């Protein structure tokens, strides 16, 4: 069964965005035979000068509704808890996207 992962990246190569500052996520589908890019989704960043509101987290969760996995360089505890309570798996993985997806596909 294929699952989707959302990677926070500015360059499409490295997971290099903090969740709260992310304005885009690259969506990938992972399956037994590998992974492939689906699309880029733009979102409004959740962090507003250090402040966070649940509505911003909710908007991000809604934008990533079909993804099981969220890949970020960093994420704060409130955001991580919010997303995990909605069924997302969060990975702080400031590494090349390809390497992380290769590792994750073996766990799918």
């Amino acid at each position: 069964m294929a699952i989707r992962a959302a990677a926070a990246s500015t360059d499409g190569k490295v997971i290099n965005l903090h969740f709260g500052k992310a304005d885009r996520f690259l969506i990938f589908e992972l399956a037994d035979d590998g992974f492939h890019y689906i699309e880029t989704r733009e979102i409004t960043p959740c962090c507003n000068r250090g402040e966070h509101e649940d509505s911003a987290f909710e908007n991000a969760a809604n934008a990533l509704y079909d993804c099981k996995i969220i890949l970020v360089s960093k994420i704060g505890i409130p955001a991580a808890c919010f997303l995990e309570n909605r069924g997302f798996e969060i990975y702080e993985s400031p590494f090349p996207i390809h390497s992380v997806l290769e590792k994750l596909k073996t766990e799918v």
Side-chain angles (χ1 to χ4, degrees), residues 3-5 7-8 15 33 37-38 41 55-56 59 67 72 75-77 82 86 88 91 105:
I3 62 168
R4 289 193 174 182
I15 300 162
D33 61 343
Y37 170 79
I38 301 290
R41 294 186 192 161
S55 63
N59 291 338
C67 299
V72 294
I75 188 168
I77 292 171
F82 184 94
R86 280 159 180 74
F88 294 98
Y91 293 88
K105 79 174 182 158

Side-chain angles (χ1 to χ4, degrees), residues 21-35:
K21 295 180 182 176
D23 60 353
R24 72 183 63 101
F25 285 87
L26 283 66
I27 310 302
F28 295 88
E29 190 163 87
L30 288 80
D32 294 335
D33 61 343
F35 58 88

Side-chain angles (χ1 to χ4, degrees), residues 1 4 7-9 23 26 30-31 43 47 56 64 69 78 81-82 84 88 91 93 106 108:
M1 180 172 125
R4 289 193 174 182
S9 176
D23 60 353
L26 283 66
L30 288 80
I43 68 165
C47 184
L64 304 174
I69 297 169
C81 289
F82 184 94
E84 287 173 348
F88 294 98
Y91 293 88
S93 306
T106 63
V108 173

Side-chain angles (χ1 to χ4, degrees), residues 84-99:
E84 287 173 348
N85 284 334
R86 280 159 180 74
F88 294 98
E89 293 178 22
I90 311 300
Y91 293 88
E92 286 187 343
S93 306
F95 305 107
I97 296 169
H98 184 270
S99 299

